Amino acid sequence: MNTSPHTHAFIPQQQDPFGPRFVTNRPEREPECRVICLSNQKGGVAKTTTTMNLGAALTELGNRVLVVDLDPQSNLTMSFGIDVENLPKSIFDVLVHRLAIEHNIHKTPECDIAVASIDLAGAELALSSMIGRERMLEKALAPVKKDYDYILIDTPPSLGLLTVNAFTASDEVIVPVQAEYLSLRGLVQLDNTLQVIREHLNPKVRIGGVLITMYDGRTIHSREATELLLQNYGDRVMKVRIKKTIRLAEAPVQGSSVLTYESNGTAAAQYRELAQEVVARVEQAV
Ligand SMILES: Nc1ncnc2c1ncn2[C@@H]1O[C@H](COP(=O)(O)OP(=O)(O)O)[C@@H](O)[C@H]1O
Ligand SMILES: [Mg+2]
């Protein structure tokens, strides 16, 4: 006889005690896809590195993940070991020629990726005369959102039309920054751009997180700049800081994330922590 005070009398004895007690009459909700854009108009702040490693870490947590390469430099595509010279299609065709994005998605063990090649450099010009030019990515992603829990968009180092497409398609923006005074100025500019996007294109998009990357806590400047970021962005600054390590530069040479390249290393642990923070924030927001 099960005498546990937490077990309701109507649960049959042999049943898994964690089963029926949690059944409610609420209708099953479709799990929603969260679209997150990694953006900063400054280059070399770890947008691409974060897209790949956060993507891999979210997959590891059991999520279905798509990463989208929206940078003509195609660094994200290359980081997965994909030969960008011989791609039959690219995200350019999706944005400009309305190719269904499924035809541009490559499957990898770490996550799915919508690939880019250098032809994307012509997209800003090609899009500029099109009606609905800011919504091309949003429209392209709509049919595949049901297939993913997270879509992460890597953006070029500018606030041009490609980045505007990313902002319009996203629920939130995570901004990788280095702990430097000048980063703060860039953040203000990004915030102003997002204000305009909210007014005209996507009322929900906002800076959801500021991620300190390439952190070197040994310098006073790093620590002071971090303090300034915390004062201005409070709990939007992600708790985890990604430390400076050569491992993050080495991993893409092998075509893999640092979670595969050095699974037990510090960088892998930090990106896993980031994934957990991102998931926790999304759950809070729902
Ligand atoms: N935490 C880190 N420590 C050391 N190097 C890093 C770190 N994160 C990224 N890098 C390296 O810095 C360079 C720029 O990163 P990247 O992700 O390409 O930046 P972005 O996409 O913002 O231009 C790359 O060579 C990358 O491997
Ligand atoms: Mg990049």
PDB file of all heavy atoms in Angstrom, residues 87-118:
ATOM      1  N   LEU A  87      28.269  26.148 -53.273  1.00  0.00           N
ATOM      2  CA  LEU A  87      26.891  25.991 -52.805  1.00  0.00           C
ATOM      3  C   LEU A  87      25.917  26.189 -53.957  1.00  0.00           C
ATOM      4  O   LEU A  87      26.015  27.181 -54.688  1.00  0.00           O
ATOM      5  CB  LEU A  87      26.590  27.040 -51.723  1.00  0.00           C
ATOM      6  CG  LEU A  87      27.253  26.815 -50.372  1.00  0.00           C
ATOM      7  CD1 LEU A  87      26.996  28.015 -49.456  1.00  0.00           C
ATOM      8  CD2 LEU A  87      26.734  25.539 -49.730  1.00  0.00           C
ATOM      9  N   PRO A  88      24.968  25.267 -54.131  1.00  0.00           N
ATOM     10  CA  PRO A  88      24.007  25.443 -55.224  1.00  0.00           C
ATOM     11  C   PRO A  88      23.087  26.636 -54.974  1.00  0.00           C
ATOM     12  O   PRO A  88      22.704  27.345 -55.894  1.00  0.00           O
ATOM     13  CB  PRO A  88      23.225  24.125 -55.227  1.00  0.00           C
ATOM     14  CG  PRO A  88      23.447  23.507 -53.889  1.00  0.00           C
ATOM     15  CD  PRO A  88      24.765  24.023 -53.381  1.00  0.00           C
ATOM     16  N   LYS A  89      22.732  26.847 -53.710  1.00  0.00           N
ATOM     17  CA  LYS A  89      21.826  27.943 -53.355  1.00  0.00           C
ATOM     18  C   LYS A  89      22.362  28.635 -52.119  1.00  0.00           C
ATOM     19  O   LYS A  89      23.183  28.073 -51.384  1.00  0.00           O
ATOM     20  CB  LYS A  89      20.428  27.393 -53.020  1.00  0.00           C
ATOM     21  CG  LYS A  89      19.759  26.674 -54.166  1.00  0.00           C
ATOM     22  CD  LYS A  89      19.245  27.658 -55.197  1.00  0.00           C
ATOM     23  CE  LYS A  89      18.670  26.919 -56.398  1.00  0.00           C
ATOM     24  NZ  LYS A  89      18.731  27.741 -57.611  1.00  0.00           N
ATOM     25  N   SER A  90      21.861  29.845 -51.885  1.00  0.00           N
ATOM     26  CA  SER A  90      22.263  30.538 -50.665  1.00  0.00           C
ATOM     27  C   SER A  90      21.069  31.349 -50.162  1.00  0.00           C
ATOM     28  O   SER A  90      20.042  31.469 -50.848  1.00  0.00           O
ATOM     29  CB  SER A  90      23.487  31.414 -50.928  1.00  0.00           C
ATOM     30  OG  SER A  90      23.212  32.768 -50.723  1.00  0.00           O
ATOM     31  N   ILE A  91      21.227  31.915 -48.998  1.00  0.00           N
ATOM     32  CA  ILE A  91      20.144  32.704 -48.404  1.00  0.00           C
ATOM     33  C   ILE A  91      19.778  33.894 -49.308  1.00  0.00           C
ATOM     34  O   ILE A  91      18.675  34.413 -49.250  1.00  0.00           O
ATOM     35  CB  ILE A  91      20.530  33.135 -46.956  1.00  0.00           C
ATOM     36  CG1 ILE A  91      19.322  33.640 -46.163  1.00  0.00           C
ATOM     37  CG2 ILE A  91      21.629  34.170 -46.947  1.00  0.00           C
ATOM     38  CD1 ILE A  91      18.511  32.585 -45.511  1.00  0.00           C
ATOM     39  N   PHE A  92      20.694  34.275 -50.190  1.00  0.00           N
ATOM     40  CA  PHE A  92      20.392  35.314 -51.185  1.00  0.00           C
ATOM     41  C   PHE A  92      19.169  34.906 -52.012  1.00  0.00           C
ATOM     42  O   PHE A  92      18.264  35.703 -52.245  1.00  0.00           O
ATOM     43  CB  PHE A  92      21.600  35.510 -52.109  1.00  0.00           C
ATOM     44  CG  PHE A  92      21.339  36.493 -53.241  1.00  0.00           C
ATOM     45  CD1 PHE A  92      21.584  37.851 -53.062  1.00  0.00           C
ATOM     46  CD2 PHE A  92      20.859  36.053 -54.474  1.00  0.00           C
ATOM     47  CE1 PHE A  92      21.339  38.757 -54.092  1.00  0.00           C
ATOM     48  CE2 PHE A  92      20.606  36.952 -55.508  1.00  0.00           C
ATOM     49  CZ  PHE A  92      20.850  38.312 -55.316  1.00  0.00           C
ATOM     50  N   ASP A  93      19.144  33.631 -52.451  1.00  0.00           N
ATOM     51  CA  ASP A  93      18.020  33.151 -53.271  1.00  0.00           C
ATOM     52  C   ASP A  93      16.725  33.152 -52.468  1.00  0.00           C
ATOM     53  O   ASP A  93      15.647  33.365 -53.011  1.00  0.00           O
ATOM     54  CB  ASP A  93      18.314  31.734 -53.777  1.00  0.00           C
ATOM     55  CG  ASP A  93      19.582  31.714 -54.625  1.00  0.00           C
ATOM     56  OD1 ASP A  93      19.525  32.178 -55.770  1.00  0.00           O
ATOM     57  OD2 ASP A  93      20.635  31.278 -54.116  1.00  0.00           O
ATOM     58  N   VAL A  94      16.864  32.902 -51.172  1.00  0.00           N
ATOM     59  CA  VAL A  94      15.678  32.890 -50.303  1.00  0.00           C
ATOM     60  C   VAL A  94      15.114  34.304 -50.177  1.00  0.00           C
ATOM     61  O   VAL A  94      13.912  34.531 -50.320  1.00  0.00           O
ATOM     62  CB  VAL A  94      16.049  32.328 -48.901  1.00  0.00           C
ATOM     63  CG1 VAL A  94      14.870  32.431 -47.946  1.00  0.00           C
ATOM     64  CG2 VAL A  94      16.545  30.892 -49.025  1.00  0.00           C
ATOM     65  N   LEU A  95      16.004  35.264 -49.951  1.00  0.00           N
ATOM     66  CA  LEU A  95      15.556  36.641 -49.717  1.00  0.00           C
ATOM     67  C   LEU A  95      15.113  37.335 -51.004  1.00  0.00           C
ATOM     68  O   LEU A  95      14.111  38.050 -51.030  1.00  0.00           O
ATOM     69  CB  LEU A  95      16.685  37.467 -49.080  1.00  0.00           C
ATOM     70  CG  LEU A  95      17.154  37.008 -47.704  1.00  0.00           C
ATOM     71  CD1 LEU A  95      18.385  37.807 -47.280  1.00  0.00           C
ATOM     72  CD2 LEU A  95      16.054  37.166 -46.667  1.00  0.00           C
ATOM     73  N   VAL A  96      15.858  37.126 -52.048  1.00  0.00           N
ATOM     74  CA  VAL A  96      15.629  37.901 -53.273  1.00  0.00           C
ATOM     75  C   VAL A  96      14.755  37.149 -54.285  1.00  0.00           C
ATOM     76  O   VAL A  96      13.884  37.738 -54.921  1.00  0.00           O
ATOM     77  CB  VAL A  96      16.977  38.322 -53.915  1.00  0.00           C
ATOM     78  CG1 VAL A  96      16.762  39.050 -55.224  1.00  0.00           C
ATOM     79  CG2 VAL A  96      17.769  39.199 -52.944  1.00  0.00           C
ATOM     80  N   HIS A  97      14.962  35.845 -54.394  1.00  0.00           N
ATOM     81  CA  HIS A  97      14.187  35.077 -55.383  1.00  0.00           C
ATOM     82  C   HIS A  97      13.082  34.247 -54.759  1.00  0.00           C
ATOM     83  O   HIS A  97      12.475  33.415 -55.431  1.00  0.00           O
ATOM     84  CB  HIS A  97      15.125  34.166 -56.208  1.00  0.00           C
ATOM     85  CG  HIS A  97      16.162  34.936 -56.964  1.00  0.00           C
ATOM     86  ND1 HIS A  97      17.482  34.545 -57.008  1.00  0.00           N
ATOM     87  CD2 HIS A  97      16.073  36.080 -57.678  1.00  0.00           C
ATOM     88  CE1 HIS A  97      18.167  35.427 -57.732  1.00  0.00           C
ATOM     89  NE2 HIS A  97      17.335  36.364 -58.149  1.00  0.00           N
ATOM     90  N   ARG A  98      12.862  34.445 -53.461  1.00  0.00           N
ATOM     91  CA  ARG A  98      11.776  33.755 -52.747  1.00  0.00           C
ATOM     92  C   ARG A  98      11.874  32.239 -52.821  1.00  0.00           C
ATOM     93  O   ARG A  98      10.870  31.536 -52.839  1.00  0.00           O
ATOM     94  CB  ARG A  98      10.412  34.193 -53.289  1.00  0.00           C
ATOM     95  CG  ARG A  98      10.297  35.685 -53.430  1.00  0.00           C
ATOM     96  CD  ARG A  98       9.300  36.196 -52.448  1.00  0.00           C
ATOM     97  NE  ARG A  98       9.160  37.627 -52.578  1.00  0.00           N
ATOM     98  CZ  ARG A  98       7.996  38.252 -52.614  1.00  0.00           C
ATOM     99  NH1 ARG A  98       6.889  37.575 -52.558  1.00  0.00           N
ATOM    100  NH2 ARG A  98       7.963  39.564 -52.697  1.00  0.00           N
ATOM    101  N   LEU A  99      13.105  31.723 -52.878  1.00  0.00           N
ATOM    102  CA  LEU A  99      13.296  30.271 -52.793  1.00  0.00           C
ATOM    103  C   LEU A  99      12.832  29.827 -51.403  1.00  0.00           C
ATOM    104  O   LEU A  99      13.130  30.487 -50.412  1.00  0.00           O
ATOM    105  CB  LEU A  99      14.792  29.958 -52.951  1.00  0.00           C
ATOM    106  CG  LEU A  99      15.222  28.514 -52.707  1.00  0.00           C
ATOM    107  CD1 LEU A  99      14.854  27.649 -53.922  1.00  0.00           C
ATOM    108  CD2 LEU A  99      16.723  28.416 -52.447  1.00  0.00           C
ATOM    109  N   ALA A 100      12.098  28.695 -51.330  1.00  0.00           N
ATOM    110  CA  ALA A 100      11.673  28.189 -50.020  1.00  0.00           C
ATOM    111  C   ALA A 100      12.923  27.853 -49.201  1.00  0.00           C
ATOM    112  O   ALA A 100      13.840  27.189 -49.707  1.00  0.00           O
ATOM    113  CB  ALA A 100      10.797  26.950 -50.189  1.00  0.00           C
ATOM    114  N   ILE A 101      12.956  28.315 -47.964  1.00  0.00           N
ATOM    115  CA  ILE A 101      14.189  28.204 -47.166  1.00  0.00           C
ATOM    116  C   ILE A 101      14.605  26.740 -46.941  1.00  0.00           C
ATOM    117  O   ILE A 101      15.793  26.447 -46.790  1.00  0.00           O
ATOM    118  CB  ILE A 101      14.059  28.978 -45.827  1.00  0.00           C
ATOM    119  CG1 ILE A 101      15.442  29.220 -45.209  1.00  0.00           C
ATOM    120  CG2 ILE A 101      13.124  28.284 -44.852  1.00  0.00           C
ATOM    121  CD1 ILE A 101      15.480  30.266 -44.117  1.00  0.00           C
ATOM    122  N   GLU A 102      13.634  25.821 -46.977  1.00  0.00           N
ATOM    123  CA  GLU A 102      13.966  24.396 -46.812  1.00  0.00           C
ATOM    124  C   GLU A 102      15.043  23.962 -47.808  1.00  0.00           C
ATOM    125  O   GLU A 102      15.872  23.114 -47.509  1.00  0.00           O
ATOM    126  CB  GLU A 102      12.748  23.491 -47.062  1.00  0.00           C
ATOM    127  CG  GLU A 102      11.632  23.620 -46.066  1.00  0.00           C
ATOM    128  CD  GLU A 102      10.558  24.581 -46.523  1.00  0.00           C
ATOM    129  OE1 GLU A 102      10.909  25.733 -46.882  1.00  0.00           O
ATOM    130  OE2 GLU A 102       9.379  24.192 -46.534  1.00  0.00           O
ATOM    131  N   HIS A 103      15.016  24.554 -49.006  1.00  0.00           N
ATOM    132  CA  HIS A 103      15.985  24.166 -50.040  1.00  0.00           C
ATOM    133  C   HIS A 103      17.382  24.718 -49.767  1.00  0.00           C
ATOM    134  O   HIS A 103      18.311  24.432 -50.503  1.00  0.00           O
ATOM    135  CB  HIS A 103      15.507  24.636 -51.422  1.00  0.00           C
ATOM    136  CG  HIS A 103      14.183  24.043 -51.802  1.00  0.00           C
ATOM    137  ND1 HIS A 103      13.972  22.688 -51.841  1.00  0.00           N
ATOM    138  CD2 HIS A 103      12.996  24.625 -52.118  1.00  0.00           C
ATOM    139  CE1 HIS A 103      12.716  22.448 -52.182  1.00  0.00           C
ATOM    140  NE2 HIS A 103      12.103  23.606 -52.354  1.00  0.00           N
ATOM    141  N   ASN A 104      17.475  25.547 -48.744  1.00  0.00           N
ATOM    142  CA  ASN A 104      18.770  26.147 -48.433  1.00  0.00           C
ATOM    143  C   ASN A 104      19.258  25.747 -47.041  1.00  0.00           C
ATOM    144  O   ASN A 104      20.172  26.340 -46.499  1.00  0.00           O
ATOM    145  CB  ASN A 104      18.654  27.679 -48.536  1.00  0.00           C
ATOM    146  CG  ASN A 104      19.980  28.368 -48.420  1.00  0.00           C
ATOM    147  OD1 ASN A 104      20.950  27.960 -49.053  1.00  0.00           O
ATOM    148  ND2 ASN A 104      20.056  29.384 -47.574  1.00  0.00           N
ATOM    149  N   ILE A 105      18.599  24.741 -46.465  1.00  0.00           N
ATOM    150  CA  ILE A 105      18.980  24.312 -45.118  1.00  0.00           C
ATOM    151  C   ILE A 105      19.842  23.050 -45.198  1.00  0.00           C
ATOM    152  O   ILE A 105      19.463  22.072 -45.833  1.00  0.00           O
ATOM    153  CB  ILE A 105      17.727  24.074 -44.241  1.00  0.00           C
ATOM    154  CG1 ILE A 105      17.050  25.428 -43.942  1.00  0.00           C
ATOM    155  CG2 ILE A 105      18.106  23.367 -42.938  1.00  0.00           C
ATOM    156  CD1 ILE A 105      15.767  25.333 -43.138  1.00  0.00           C
ATOM    157  N   HIS A 106      21.002  23.138 -44.572  1.00  0.00           N
ATOM    158  CA  HIS A 106      21.896  21.972 -44.500  1.00  0.00           C
ATOM    159  C   HIS A 106      21.788  21.387 -43.097  1.00  0.00           C
ATOM    160  O   HIS A 106      21.752  22.125 -42.122  1.00  0.00           O
ATOM    161  CB  HIS A 106      23.347  22.394 -44.765  1.00  0.00           C
ATOM    162  CG  HIS A 106      23.594  22.828 -46.176  1.00  0.00           C
ATOM    163  ND1 HIS A 106      24.658  22.372 -46.915  1.00  0.00           N
ATOM    164  CD2 HIS A 106      22.910  23.678 -46.981  1.00  0.00           C
ATOM    165  CE1 HIS A 106      24.619  22.920 -48.129  1.00  0.00           C
ATOM    166  NE2 HIS A 106      23.568  23.723 -48.187  1.00  0.00           N
ATOM    167  N   LYS A 107      21.769  20.067 -43.022  1.00  0.00           N
ATOM    168  CA  LYS A 107      21.682  19.409 -41.711  1.00  0.00           C
ATOM    169  C   LYS A 107      23.094  19.095 -41.245  1.00  0.00           C
ATOM    170  O   LYS A 107      23.905  18.586 -42.009  1.00  0.00           O
ATOM    171  CB  LYS A 107      20.883  18.111 -41.811  1.00  0.00           C
ATOM    172  CG  LYS A 107      19.504  18.332 -42.404  1.00  0.00           C
ATOM    173  CD  LYS A 107      18.421  17.693 -41.560  1.00  0.00           C
ATOM    174  CE  LYS A 107      17.052  18.124 -42.027  1.00  0.00           C
ATOM    175  NZ  LYS A 107      16.317  18.970 -41.149  1.00  0.00           N
ATOM    176  N   THR A 108      23.401  19.413 -40.003  1.00  0.00           N
ATOM    177  CA  THR A 108      24.694  19.035 -39.431  1.00  0.00           C
ATOM    178  C   THR A 108      24.405  18.350 -38.095  1.00  0.00           C
ATOM    179  O   THR A 108      23.300  18.476 -37.569  1.00  0.00           O
ATOM    180  CB  THR A 108      25.616  20.267 -39.183  1.00  0.00           C
ATOM    181  OG1 THR A 108      25.243  20.868 -37.927  1.00  0.00           O
ATOM    182  CG2 THR A 108      25.542  21.287 -40.300  1.00  0.00           C
ATOM    183  N   PRO A 109      25.380  17.625 -37.547  1.00  0.00           N
ATOM    184  CA  PRO A 109      25.121  16.950 -36.266  1.00  0.00           C
ATOM    185  C   PRO A 109      24.804  17.946 -35.144  1.00  0.00           C
ATOM    186  O   PRO A 109      24.161  17.597 -34.172  1.00  0.00           O
ATOM    187  CB  PRO A 109      26.431  16.226 -35.971  1.00  0.00           C
ATOM    188  CG  PRO A 109      27.155  16.160 -37.287  1.00  0.00           C
ATOM    189  CD  PRO A 109      26.711  17.328 -38.087  1.00  0.00           C
ATOM    190  N   GLU A 110      25.259  19.209 -35.289  1.00  0.00           N
ATOM    191  CA  GLU A 110      25.090  20.149 -34.176  1.00  0.00           C
ATOM    192  C   GLU A 110      23.801  20.955 -34.264  1.00  0.00           C
ATOM    193  O   GLU A 110      23.220  21.298 -33.246  1.00  0.00           O
ATOM    194  CB  GLU A 110      26.303  21.072 -34.093  1.00  0.00           C
ATOM    195  CG  GLU A 110      27.571  20.229 -34.018  1.00  0.00           C
ATOM    196  CD  GLU A 110      28.749  20.959 -33.454  1.00  0.00           C
ATOM    197  OE1 GLU A 110      29.474  21.604 -34.218  1.00  0.00           O
ATOM    198  OE2 GLU A 110      28.923  20.872 -32.242  1.00  0.00           O
ATOM    199  N   CYS A 111      23.384  21.270 -35.470  1.00  0.00           N
ATOM    200  CA  CYS A 111      22.101  21.940 -35.696  1.00  0.00           C
ATOM    201  C   CYS A 111      21.910  22.117 -37.202  1.00  0.00           C
ATOM    202  O   CYS A 111      22.800  21.781 -37.981  1.00  0.00           O
ATOM    203  CB  CYS A 111      22.030  23.297 -34.988  1.00  0.00           C
ATOM    204  SG  CYS A 111      23.317  24.439 -35.426  1.00  0.00           S
ATOM    205  N   ASP A 112      20.755  22.607 -37.600  1.00  0.00           N
ATOM    206  CA  ASP A 112      20.538  22.888 -39.024  1.00  0.00           C
ATOM    207  C   ASP A 112      21.057  24.294 -39.320  1.00  0.00           C
ATOM    208  O   ASP A 112      21.049  25.165 -38.454  1.00  0.00           O
ATOM    209  CB  ASP A 112      19.041  22.829 -39.358  1.00  0.00           C
ATOM    210  CG  ASP A 112      18.517  21.395 -39.336  1.00  0.00           C
ATOM    211  OD1 ASP A 112      19.311  20.480 -39.050  1.00  0.00           O
ATOM    212  OD2 ASP A 112      17.318  21.204 -39.610  1.00  0.00           O
ATOM    213  N   ILE A 113      21.487  24.503 -40.560  1.00  0.00           N
ATOM    214  CA  ILE A 113      21.979  25.843 -40.926  1.00  0.00           C
ATOM    215  C   ILE A 113      21.465  26.258 -42.304  1.00  0.00           C
ATOM    216  O   ILE A 113      21.535  25.486 -43.265  1.00  0.00           O
ATOM    217  CB  ILE A 113      23.534  25.922 -40.865  1.00  0.00           C
ATOM    218  CG1 ILE A 113      24.010  27.245 -41.497  1.00  0.00           C
ATOM    219  CG2 ILE A 113      24.225  24.736 -41.516  1.00  0.00           C
ATOM    220  CD1 ILE A 113      25.445  27.592 -41.263  1.00  0.00           C
ATOM    221  N   ALA A 114      20.932  27.482 -42.348  1.00  0.00           N
ATOM    222  CA  ALA A 114      20.589  28.104 -43.625  1.00  0.00           C
ATOM    223  C   ALA A 114      21.828  28.861 -44.080  1.00  0.00           C
ATOM    224  O   ALA A 114      22.264  29.808 -43.424  1.00  0.00           O
ATOM    225  CB  ALA A 114      19.402  29.049 -43.468  1.00  0.00           C
ATOM    226  N   VAL A 115      22.410  28.415 -45.186  1.00  0.00           N
ATOM    227  CA  VAL A 115      23.765  28.839 -45.554  1.00  0.00           C
ATOM    228  C   VAL A 115      23.790  30.130 -46.379  1.00  0.00           C
ATOM    229  O   VAL A 115      22.813  30.494 -47.039  1.00  0.00           O
ATOM    230  CB  VAL A 115      24.507  27.729 -46.338  1.00  0.00           C
ATOM    231  CG1 VAL A 115      24.697  26.505 -45.472  1.00  0.00           C
ATOM    232  CG2 VAL A 115      23.756  27.384 -47.629  1.00  0.00           C
ATOM    233  N   ALA A 116      24.948  30.795 -46.317  1.00  0.00           N
ATOM    234  CA  ALA A 116      25.169  32.012 -47.110  1.00  0.00           C
ATOM    235  C   ALA A 116      26.435  31.862 -47.922  1.00  0.00           C
ATOM    236  O   ALA A 116      27.327  31.079 -47.580  1.00  0.00           O
ATOM    237  CB  ALA A 116      25.306  33.212 -46.183  1.00  0.00           C
ATOM    238  N   SER A 117      26.503  32.624 -49.013  1.00  0.00           N
ATOM    239  CA  SER A 117      27.769  32.737 -49.732  1.00  0.00           C
ATOM    240  C   SER A 117      27.947  34.202 -50.125  1.00  0.00           C
ATOM    241  O   SER A 117      27.092  35.039 -49.835  1.00  0.00           O
ATOM    242  CB  SER A 117      27.801  31.811 -50.957  1.00  0.00           C
ATOM    243  OG  SER A 117      26.734  32.131 -51.814  1.00  0.00           O
ATOM    244  N   ILE A 118      29.035  34.485 -50.785  1.00  0.00           N
ATOM    245  CA  ILE A 118      29.409  35.884 -51.030  1.00  0.00           C
ATOM    246  C   ILE A 118      28.362  36.626 -51.864  1.00  0.00           C
ATOM    247  O   ILE A 118      28.258  37.857 -51.786  1.00  0.00           O
ATOM    248  CB  ILE A 118      30.829  35.962 -51.657  1.00  0.00           C
ATOM    249  CG1 ILE A 118      31.328  37.413 -51.736  1.00  0.00           C
ATOM    250  CG2 ILE A 118      30.893  35.295 -53.007  1.00  0.00           C
ATOM    251  CD1 ILE A 118      31.543  38.079 -50.390  1.00  0.00           C
TER     252      ILE A 118
END
